[in-house]
Amino acid sequence: MCIRCGKKEEETWEHIWNCDDNDATLDEIARELIYKFEEFLNTNERMKDIAILRDHNVNIITILEERSNILLGKNRIREMLRGVFNDKFNKLTKVKEEKIIIKECWNFIYNEFKNRIWLPRCEEVERLEKEKGIQKQDLKKKRKRESSIEEGKSEESIKDTKIKKTNENVKKKQKKEFVKNINIVTRDRLIGSVTDGINIEYIWDMTTKIY
C-alpha cells in the first residue's frame, strides 16, 4: 500500500509517478517547465538561446507526449524518467548551437521531474515511516512475507521454513567444527610420528584423514 495516498496498491515505479499525492501530473509539469526554462534563460540574459527555444518548444513537448516505441503504452516522458534521450530530439535541428539548447532543456525538465516528484516523495515517505515507527528492516520483512503469501505459502509454512533453515545452518556449523577437530588431530598425530622418527610414508594410509 502507498503510505502517501493510502491506495491499496503496490508502490511500484509506475505508481510513484502517478500517485495522487504528487504536486501535479507528469504532462502538466512538462508543459510548465518549457516556460520555466525560458524564465531561467531570461534571468541569465540569454536572449539568443530564448529565441532558439521558442523555435523548438512546441516540438519538444510534442516529442515528450508521443507514444514510446520502447515502453509500450507510455509516452516519451517515461523514457526521460529512465534517462533515455530520444533520438528525435537530435533530429529537430542540424545546428550545433540549437542542439545544445535542446539538450539543456531536456536536462532541465529531467531535473525538475526529480525535484518536484521524486525527491519530495522520498522525503515524505521517510517522514511518514518515522512517524509510524516503521523501519526499513520491517518493510523488507513485510514485502518478503507478502510475496510468500501471494505464492501460496501460509504464515505457518513461512515459520517452518525459517526453522528448517536455521537447523540446517546449525548442522553445517557442527559438521565444519567436527571436520576441523579431526584435521587438527590428524595433523598432530603425523607431527608426533615425525618427531618420534617415524617415516609418515609408512603410516599415511593408516592415519584418519578428512579432505
Side-chain angles (χ1 to χ4, degrees):
M1 185 178 79
C2 177
I3 196 171
R4 295 174 70 212
C5 68
K7 280 190 175 180
K8 292 183 178 180
E9 59 180 77
E10 190 178 352
E11 193 179 13
T12 59
W13 174 263
E14 184 67 24
H15 179 79
I16 287 170
W17 301 104
N18 285 334
C19 183
D20 292 340
D21 205 53
N22 290 341
D23 178 48
T25 67
L26 292 170
D27 291 333
E28 289 169 348
I29 293 173
R31 293 191 194 100
E32 291 173 15
L33 292 180
I34 288 291
Y35 301 105
K36 195 171 180 180
F37 181 56
E38 183 173 325
E39 288 175 5
F40 165 77
L41 295 175
N42 187 50
T43 301
N44 291 277
E45 299 181 351
R46 295 168 58 181
M47 301 308 166
K48 185 179 178 181
D49 294 338
I50 289 175
I52 293 173
L53 177 66
R54 287 177 177 174
D55 286 339
H56 296 288
N57 56 12
V58 174
N59 289 330
I60 290 171
I61 288 297
T62 300
I63 292 172
L64 287 174
E65 293 182 344
E66 284 177 347
R67 289 285 179 181
S68 169
N69 293 327
I70 57 176
L71 298 173
L72 299 180
K74 309 296 178 185
N75 60 22
R76 291 200 170 98
I77 290 176
R78 302 308 176 117
E79 294 180 2
M80 174 181 277
L81 296 176
R82 295 178 182 272
V84 177
F85 185 84
N86 195 284
D87 193 48
K88 278 202 168 188
F89 292 109
N90 286 324
K91 293 178 180 178
L92 287 177
T93 179
K94 293 182 179 179
V95 181
K96 183 180 178 181
E97 290 77 10
E98 294 182 4
K99 283 180 178 289
I100 291 172
I101 296 303
I102 291 169
K103 184 64 182 288
E104 187 179 351
C105 180
W106 187 97
N107 285 324
F108 184 88
I109 295 173
Y110 174 82
N111 286 325
E112 284 295 313
F113 279 140
K114 181 178 68 175
N115 294 332
R116 287 187 60 179
I117 294 182
W118 181 259
L119 293 181
R121 175 254 171 204
C122 292
E123 291 170 0
E124 179 69 2
V125 167
E126 185 179 6
R127 183 188 68 79
L128 290 170
E129 287 176 353
K130 283 182 179 179
E131 192 177 277
K132 296 185 178 184
I134 301 172
Q135 296 181 354
K136 288 184 179 179
Q137 191 175 2
D138 298 328
L139 292 172
K140 286 180 181 178
K141 287 180 180 178
K142 183 182 177 184
R143 290 191 189 106
K144 191 174 181 180
R145 185 168 61 252
E146 288 174 349
S147 176
S148 298
I149 291 171
E150 284 176 6
E151 291 172 2
K153 297 178 182 177
S154 65
E155 291 282 351
E156 287 299 321
S157 176
I158 295 169
K159 287 180 182 178
D160 290 342
T161 302
K162 286 182 179 179
I163 293 170
K164 187 178 178 181
K165 194 171 183 180
T166 301
N167 290 337
E168 286 175 355
N169 289 335
V170 170
K171 286 180 181 179
K172 284 180 182 178
K173 189 175 180 181
Q174 289 174 342
K175 185 177 180 181
K176 192 175 180 181
E177 287 295 323
F178 177 72
V179 170
K180 182 180 176 182
N181 290 335
I182 288 181
N183 283 335
I184 291 172
V185 172
T186 301
R187 183 197 64 189
D188 291 346
R189 283 187 62 188
L190 291 173
I191 291 173
S193 297
V194 172
T195 305
D196 294 338
I198 301 172
N199 190 335
I200 62 173
E201 182 180 348
Y202 302 130
I203 63 168
W204 179 256
D205 58 342
M206 295 183 292
T207 304
T208 304
K209 297 171 284 295
I210 298 292
Y211 297 97

